[in-house]
Amino acid sequence: MPTVYLAAEQENVLRIHWDEFTFGLIAFLLILGVVYKMWPKLTKALDERADQIEGGIARAQKAEAEAEETRQQYREKLEEAHREYAQELEKAKEQRAAIIAEAREEAQVEARRIVEAAHAQIEADRQQTLVQLRSEIGALSTELASRIVGETLSDGAAQNRVIDRFLDELEQSGNTQQAEVR
Amino acid sequence: MGADVNVVAASESGCHIFGHGCGFEAPGVGLFSPTPWLDFGLPGAAGVNKYYLVAAVALIIAAAFWYFTTRRAKVVPGRGQSMAEMLVGFLRDQVTRTTMGKEGDRFLPLIVTLFLFIFCMNIMGLIPGLQLPVTTSLAFPAVLALFVFLLWNIVGIRRHGFGGHIKARLVPGGVPAWILPIVVPIEALSNFVIRPATHMIRLFATMFAGHLLLALFAAAGFYMFNPLSQMGALYGALSVGYSAIALVGFLVFTAFELFIMAVQAYVFVLLTSIYLGEAIEGAH
């Protein structure tokens, strides 16, 4: 009967066969040996990776610090440039003011000089005109008088006196006329 | 679908549902006593049987996995190395570091070996043609549990001396003196007998039961497949339907078994780690 056969075949499942135990031990020790043998390779790779990552972080921090330093320098330079620009601007303004003032002064001096020269010229012209007029008027008057009076007044000295007196009177009347015109 | 060789052998009698009236013979524990190919008749020995074959395959898979994934370990890992690193990282973070702290890194190769070996032995139950988890023979879990038990004692004695280790294991801290005559024998039994025994039997029993369940589904599927039933075509079709249910059950439980195989390997190494951590710690 099959049931009897199966029951006979069944043995204690909690048995431990020593040969299987030995084989299991050998297998276990073999794998343990392989794992231990290969272990340093893996840990070495892991350590190297950790080193590289740490190195990378250190490099990145260094680069960051350098960048910050460069930025600081750049900022300082920029501020300095701004400062210099402002100074230059101030200086240029001052110079411009100075130049303008100088030019104005020069122009005034020049104008005054021209005006004075014109005045002098006018005065000179006037004097000349006066002298000329005086002599012409003298001559005209002499001629006139001689014509009126005749030959009597041919004496030079007396002639001059008469003319001068005549001119003085003329001048005085001219002055008063001028005053009235003004 | 690869039905277990033994199961097929057990059902070779030709019994089927709706057949000649012979009943279903469920696969028994005989599954786990394969006929030896070479029997030297030594007392207490099983002889060279299928367990030798599956254990050798498990050994080769475990050793080859570790050898080929770490052979050319580089800073920038390949696929294999990444797998090995993931395994090591998982066992380190989930097992040794949580139970032993940094000191546990010393035992990490052992934990990796145990996990690899046990998992490979377990998955032998799913490899078509082999389909026999090595751990269903108590001898194999016993090797590992005994190794761990010895290591546990060695670590404890080296750390705390023989007396210190024994005292730490027998006399729990904070127990009043008058109760010690009761507690000490209980602790002795618990720590030195029951614990290593349960350590190996836990692994053995779960794999044993799981494999028996799979074998049952396979045998049932085979038993119920009888499309040419003498009782008519209707019963034949019904038998095919029953067989399909058994097949679905077999597939579902196969997937579940794979999970259990990994979990049991994890549990074994976790307990190993806890025991070793306890030995390092000493009295508590």
Side-chain angles (χ1 to χ4, degrees), chain B residues 42-263:
Chain B
L42 296 169
V48 179
N49 56 21
K50 194 177 172 185
Y51 278 113
Y52 280 76
L53 174 66
V54 283
V57 174
L59 159 67
I60 289 165
I61 292 175
F65 170 81
W66 192 254
Y67 178 75
F68 286 109
T69 52
T70 59
R71 184 176 44 158
R72 283 191 293 267
K74 290 188 294 265
V75 174
V76 180
R79 284 183 196 168
Q81 194 190 335
S82 291
M83 278 167 65
E85 281 177 12
M86 275 165 66
L87 178 68
V88 171
F90 172 76
L91 292 176
R92 187 191 60 202
D93 297 338
Q94 302 293 323
V95 178
T96 61
R97 286 270 169 92
T98 53
T99 55
M100 291 186 268
K102 279 268 185 189
E103 225 176 334
D105 287 0
R106 211 147 53 89
F107 296 105
L108 199 48
L110 172 73
I111 297 295
V112 169
T113 305
L114 282 172
F115 183 85
L116 260 182
F117 189 34
I118 292 170
F119 185 64
C120 288
M121 289 199 293
N122 288 350
I123 58 166
M124 286 304 117
L126 297 181
I127 291 181
L130 296 174
Q131 280 179 315
L132 183 63
V134 188
T135 39
T136 54
S137 176
L138 189 57
F140 293 93
V143 171
L144 306 178
L146 195 65
F147 185 90
V148 170
F149 179 69
L150 291 176
L151 186 66
W152 174 71
N153 282 307
I154 291 166
V155 166
I157 289 167
R158 280 180 65 171
R159 179 59 68 96
H160 304 288
F162 184 80
H165 174 63
I166 299 296
K167 184 171 176 293
R169 298 287 73 85
L170 295 187
V171 185
V175 173
W178 60 268
I179 213 170
L180 283 179
I182 307 171
V183 169
V184 168
I186 293 174
E187 285 289 310
L189 193 69
S190 163
N191 281 334
F192 291 95
V193 178
I194 295 176
R195 187 191 269 180
T198 53
H199 198 199
M200 64 180 178
I201 289 172
R202 179 181 295 107
L203 173 61
F204 158 77
T206 40
M207 296 319 300
F208 186 93
H211 189 64
L212 202 57
L213 190 65
L214 288 187
L216 181 67
F217 271 104
F222 189 80
Y223 171 74
M224 289 192 277
F225 189 74
N226 191 13
L228 304 172
S229 171
Q230 294 92 331
M231 295 168 72
L234 186 66
Y235 282 97
L238 193 60
S239 77
V240 172
Y242 284 162
S243 183
I245 293 170
L247 172 64
V248 169
F250 180 81
L251 292 177
V252 169
F253 275 93
T254 298
F256 185 62
E257 261 310 285
L258 183 61
F259 171 69
I260 294 294
M261 286 163 176
V263 166

Side-chain angles (χ1 to χ4, degrees), chain B residues 35-48:
Chain B
T35 320
W37 297 314
L38 280 175
D39 195 355
F40 302 106
L42 296 169
V48 179

Side-chain angles (χ1 to χ4, degrees), chain B residues 262-273:
Chain B
V263 166
Q264 282 306 315
Y266 173 71
V267 166
F268 193 94
V269 295
L270 185 63
L271 287 171
T272 301
S273 191

Side-chain angles (χ1 to χ4, degrees), chain A residues 53-165:
Chain A
I53 291 169
E54 276 176 7
I57 290 168
R59 276 197 299 279
Q61 280 172 344
K62 201 177 153 200
E64 202 181 353
E66 276 175 7
E68 179 59 34
E69 198 180 326
T70 311
R71 204 162 70 94
Q72 193 64 33
Q73 285 174 355
Y74 172 74
R75 196 186 289 151
E76 278 168 12
K77 275 183 183 164
L78 198 66
E79 276 173 10
E80 203 181 310
H82 273 303
R83 222 168 24 242
E84 276 178 9
Y85 170 73
Q87 280 176 356
E88 291 290 326
L89 202 66
E90 196 65 31
K91 214 184 282 178
K93 273 182 186 167
E94 281 171 13
Q95 276 183 351
R96 192 182 68 150
I99 288 166
I100 289 170
E102 199 178 337
R104 185 178 290 154
E105 201 173 329
E106 272 179 12
Q108 279 172 352
V109 168
E110 183 69 14
R112 213 175 297 137
R113 195 182 60 77
I114 290 168
V115 168
E116 278 171 6
H119 279 309
Q121 186 68 41
I122 290 165
E123 187 60 30
D125 284 353
R126 199 172 74 94
Q127 289 299 330
Q128 198 182 354
T129 311
L130 269 178
V131 170
Q132 208 172 349
L133 269 176
R134 183 174 287 185
S135 66
E136 274 181 18
I137 290 170
L140 282 172
S141 312
T142 310
E143 196 182 331
L144 182 66
S146 65
R147 280 195 199 154
I148 298 168
V149 184
E151 295 289 322
T152 55
L153 287 177
S154 55
D155 180 19
Q159 206 175 2
N160 280 346
R161 274 199 308 275
V162 172
I163 291 165
D164 283 344
R165 201 165 55 232

Side-chain angles (χ1 to χ4, degrees), chain A residues 39-55:
Chain A
W39 196 259
K41 291 196 178 194
L42 193 69
T43 51
K44 187 163 159 278
L46 291 173
D47 289 349
E48 269 177 30
R49 187 181 310 157
D51 277 356
Q52 288 192 4
I53 291 169
E54 276 176 7

